[in-house]
Structure formats: C-alpha cells, structure tokens
C-alpha cells in the first residue's frame, strides 16, 4: 500500500498543471508636499493629481536588506518554497507567452515598442531580476499590463495612453516586474501542487477509500480563499518592491500613487472604467497607507526626480494616431457590419403586408394547378 501511495504522489507531483500569470494593481497614497522636487534637464514637471507628495526623510535606517534600496540586485528576493528552477520558470513563461501572442494583436511600430521596452529594461536593471525580460506592447484599449513567469512582460496600449506622465507608466511597469522578481507565479503554482498532494491521502485513506473523494470536493471550497489570501500578499509585496524599483531608476514614487487615485476616481464617476484585473484587487486603504509609509520611511529624499519626458509625450501621440488609424480601418467601407433585428425590421416590411415588394424575403404562394 505504501508503494502504491508513493507512486500516486509522484504522479500527482509530475502531472500537476500550471498556468499562472502575474497581474497586479498598485496602490495610492496620502502624501505631504516636498518642495525639493525639481526635474533634471530635458524633463518636465506636471502638476500632481490627488493628494500631495509624501514628505521623505533625508536619511533612512533600513531594518534589513529588503528595505535597503542601495542593496537592490544583491538581496534574496523571491526565496521560499518553489518547485520550479529559474530555467523551468522561463520555459513555463515562454509557453504562456505563446498562448498570449496567439490570442492578441501586438503593436509593431518600432518607435513605440523600442520606447516601452527601454523604459521597462531600465526598471529591470534597477530591480532584483534574475531572468532576462522580453517586453512587448499589446494593441488593446484596456488599461492594463501583466508579467508572466520568467520575464515575459506585456503592456497594453491603453495603459500608455491613460498615463499622463512617464513616471506613472514606470510605476505600473515596476509593479509588474516585482511579480517576476518575487517569483509569485511559480510560488502560487507550487502552493497549488502542494494542496493537491495534501488531498491524496484523504482520497485514498479516507472513509470508504475512493468514496473519500467527497471530502476532497468539500476541501475545494476552501482553496479559493487560500489563493485570494496569497494573491493579496503578493500584491502587497509587489507594491513594496515596485516603489523601490521606480525610485532606484530615478522616478518620482508618488506618481505610482496618483495614477491609481485617478483610476479610482474614474471608476466612481463611470462604473466599469477599471478593467476586471484591476477591480479584483482594488487599491484598499490598507495598501494605500502601506505605500505611504514606505515612501516616508525607507526612500530617502532626493533633489530631483524624473516625472515625465518629451519623448513620452511624442510616443503617446504617435500611439494615439496608430490606434485611431486602426479604428478607422476597422470601420472603413467594405468591412462587414452587424445589424440589429430592430434595424432590419425598420427597413423591411413584414410578411403580412400584401403590398410588400421585398424580393429578398421568401413568400408562400398557392400553386395555380391546386386551385379549386
């Protein structure tokens, strides 16, 4: 019996299915003004929305390496139970990326893609990443970005167009990069596999042998709660790391907050504005407060921050033209269109109308030779 159980355990471990993508949404803050902010040459300062910037200290005393922004790149971020080596994680991400690209349309404009990739790679260089990143732009109006295990990173065109400053775009990208550096995708998959393994003894040894499968079915009700808790913890960690990465790259960390404050405001005014992936993890007061504390406690004040650049404005304008041209083409003459039943009924007379002259509608007529 022990040998059979061990074989089942090995098969379950080897055959566990994994499909994890790291989606996220950072949080906002409640800051106080910092008069020392002035942008470097060729960078523009635009008025912040929402609350005022958090007051930062001149010097900070990090409690450990995870709070030390100067130690970024030389600390053990992403440690923990994980069945996946970095090589397997990259292979998994590549498979998932192929699925994404089969079902999505990518922006292929070289200027737009090079710019977004450059912003992302700069953040990667100032992160704890241990895998190379591949960054692409998806042609989608949805305000979103997501990173798959192994460094396969996608930014929706809608996110670029919704951001008002380069630092806002960088903040969302830094958050997603954090999911990869912390290895949230494969850790989540590992946790799922462990939960599967834990149920096997109940199935085999529980009341009635395989009849114990009913217990397993009952346990499934608790699994989503565990995943939700884990997912929220992952989002908090991605907030924590994302702020550090954008700060290390030179960006104003307060932009990370103001972007999502604006998204929240839009959602309140026009429900449905936030895409489903954002609304799954809304910016809670707790996460807002945590982000505020992090900026004030572990990010030393700087004389200059990158807020935005003229290149961001030109790339955004170029992308807007690309999206507009695509929509014009999609709605151009000769393209198939859908009509509602109401529209058709207005144009076509009913079959009961004796004066109908619509040759396209079938009609029933009595054959002459059958008339009495």
């Amino acid at each position: 019996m022990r040998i059979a159980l061990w074989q089942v355990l090995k098969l379950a471990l080897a055959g566990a299915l994994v499909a994890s993508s790291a989606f996220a949404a950072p949080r906002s803050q409640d800051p106080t003004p910092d008069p020392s902010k002035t942008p470097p040459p060729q960078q523009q300062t635009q008025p912040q929305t929402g609350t005022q910037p958090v007051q930062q200290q001149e010097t900070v005393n990090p409690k450990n390496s995870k709070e030390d922004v100067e130690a970024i790149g030389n600390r053990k971020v992403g440690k923990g139970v994980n069945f996946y080596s970095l090589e397997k994680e990259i292979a998994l991400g590549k498979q998932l990326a192929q699925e994404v690209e089969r079902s999505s349309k990518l922006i292929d404009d070289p200027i737009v893609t090079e710019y977004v990739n450059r912003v992302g790679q700069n953040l990667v260089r100032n992160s704890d990443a241990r895998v190379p990143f591949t960054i692409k732009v998806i042609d989608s109006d949805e305000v979103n970005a997501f990173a798959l295990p192994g460094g396969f990173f996608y930014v929706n065109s809608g996110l670029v167009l919704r951001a008002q400053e380069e630092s806002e775009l960088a903040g969302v990208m830094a958050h997603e990069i954090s999911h990869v550096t912390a290895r949230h995708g494969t850790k989540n998959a590992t946790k799922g596999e462990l939960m599967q393994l834990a149920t096997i003894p109940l199935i085999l040894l529980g009341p009635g042998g395989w009849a114990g499968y009913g217990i397993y079915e009952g346990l499934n009700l608790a699994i989503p709660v565990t995943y939700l808790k884990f997912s929220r913890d992952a989002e908090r960690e991605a907030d924590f790391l994302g702020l550090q990465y954008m700060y290390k790259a030179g960006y104003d960390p307060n932009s990370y907050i103001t972007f999502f404050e604006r998204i929240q405001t839009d959602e309140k005014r026009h429900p449905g504005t936030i895409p489903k992936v954002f609304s799954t993890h809304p910016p809670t007061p707790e996460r807002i407060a945590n982000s505020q504390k992090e900026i004030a406690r572990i990010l030393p004040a700087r004389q200059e921050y990158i807020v935005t650049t003229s290149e961001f404005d030109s790339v955004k304008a170029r992308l807007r033209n690309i999206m507009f041209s695509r929509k014009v083409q999609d709605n151009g003459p000769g393209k198939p269109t859908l009509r509602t039943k109401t529209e058709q009924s207005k144009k076509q007379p009913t079959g009961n109308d004796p004066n109908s002259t619509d040759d396209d509608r079938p009609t029933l007529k009595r054959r002459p030779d059958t008339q009495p």
Side-chain angles (χ1 to χ4, degrees):
M1 180 64 184
R2 285 186 177 180
I3 295 175
L5 177 58
W6 174 242
Q7 289 176 339
V8 172
L9 287 171
K10 288 199 297 184
L11 287 173
L13 175 59
L17 297 176
V18 178
S20 58
S21 53
F23 297 92
R27 302 314 170 209
S28 21
Q29 290 184 309
D30 222 14
T32 47
D34 180 6
S36 63
K37 285 196 172 188
T38 51
Q42 297 184 350
Q43 294 162 356
Q44 307 167 18
T45 303
Q46 295 184 5
Q48 300 275 0
T49 59
T51 52
Q52 295 301 310
V54 172
Q55 184 69 45
Q56 295 169 252
Q57 304 176 57
E58 292 297 327
T59 57
V60 298
N61 298 303
K63 296 179 181 178
N64 50 55
S65 63
K66 197 171 181 181
E67 294 184 355
D68 186 0
V69 291
E70 297 304 322
I72 287 175
N74 298 306
R75 50 193 192 172
K76 295 180 180 179
V77 171
K79 64 180 180 179
V81 179
N82 198 325
F83 288 170
Y84 296 82
S85 66
L86 287 175
E87 292 74 18
K88 288 182 178 178
E89 184 166 322
I90 293 172
L92 169 64
K94 187 175 183 179
Q95 290 179 346
L96 297 173
Q98 289 172 349
E99 292 298 324
V100 169
E101 294 183 25
R102 267 196 287 266
S103 59
S104 305
K105 177 177 170 53
L106 298 178
I107 296 289
D108 57 5
D109 181 82
I111 293 177
V112 173
T113 54
E114 190 278 331
Y115 168 78
V116 174
N117 180 64
R118 181 156 32 91
V119 170
Q121 297 297 349
N122 182 39
L123 291 163
V124 171
R125 283 192 298 272
N126 289 280
S127 76
D128 296 289
R130 297 169 61 196
V131 295
F133 270 69
T134 302
I135 304 173
K136 298 183 180 181
V137 183
I138 292 180
D139 184 345
S140 171
D141 293 331
E142 189 176 69
V143 181
N144 194 22
F146 60 94
L148 302 174
F152 297 88
F153 187 8
Y154 296 90
V155 178
N156 282 8
S157 54
L159 173 62
V160 181
L161 295 177
R162 188 66 185 87
Q164 292 184 357
E165 301 164 344
E166 183 175 295
S167 54
E168 292 184 347
L169 173 64
V172 180
M173 294 181 74
H175 179 94
E176 298 303 323
I177 289 168
S178 300
H179 281 298
V180 178
T181 62
R183 307 188 69 191
H184 288 152
T186 49
K187 278 184 177 178
N188 195 31
T190 296
K191 190 170 184 179
E193 291 180 13
L194 287 171
M195 293 172 75
Q196 282 186 322
L197 291 174
T199 61
I200 291 176
L202 289 176
I203 295 173
L204 298 180
L205 307 177
W210 282 103
Y213 185 72
I215 298 177
Y216 172 72
E217 288 290 287
L219 287 177
N220 269 346
L221 297 176
I223 290 176
V225 177
T226 305
Y227 275 125
L228 183 62
K229 176 69 167 63
F230 176 85
S231 185
R232 284 176 177 169
D233 288 343
E235 293 300 333
R236 289 189 191 98
E237 186 175 22
D239 289 340
F240 183 80
L241 295 173
L243 280 170
Q244 294 182 39
Y245 296 161
M246 69 180 297
Y247 171 88
K248 182 75 171 175
Y251 290 103
D252 178 6
N254 289 284
S255 298
Y256 182 83
I257 295 164
T258 56
F259 177 74
F260 285 93
E261 286 180 331
R262 191 166 64 254
I263 293 292
Q264 277 188 305
T265 301
D266 290 348
E267 176 65 16
K268 288 177 182 177
R269 291 176 181 170
H270 308 286
T273 301
I274 299 180
K276 289 180 181 178
V277 70
F278 274 36
S279 59
T280 307
H281 303 289
T284 61
E286 177 195 359
R287 288 179 64 181
I288 292 171
N290 288 342
S291 296
Q292 291 172 340
K293 290 175 184 176
E294 181 181 354
I295 292 178
R297 187 172 61 86
I298 68 172
L299 300 182
R302 284 182 172 169
Q303 293 298 315
E304 297 178 338
Y305 287 109
I306 301 172
V307 177
T308 196
T309 63
S310 57
E311 186 179 16
F312 169 76
D313 295 332
S314 62
V315 167
K316 183 176 174 180
R318 183 182 182 91
L319 180 58
R320 186 180 290 110
N321 289 335
I322 292 170
M323 300 292 285
F324 179 75
S325 299
R326 187 256 296 166
K327 288 179 180 178
V328 169
Q329 267 190 342
D330 290 347
N331 299 326
K335 296 286 183 180
T337 58
L338 294 176
R339 292 181 182 174
T340 65
K341 187 175 181 180
T342 304
E343 290 175 333
Q344 292 177 345
S345 63
K346 287 179 181 177
K347 294 180 180 179
Q348 297 177 348
T350 63
N352 297 329
D353 185 357
N355 299 321
S356 173
T357 58
D358 188 351
D359 295 332
D360 292 334
R361 291 181 63 83
T363 57
L364 293 176
K365 296 182 179 179
R366 186 184 297 276
R367 290 177 55 181
D369 57 354
T370 60
Q371 293 178 354

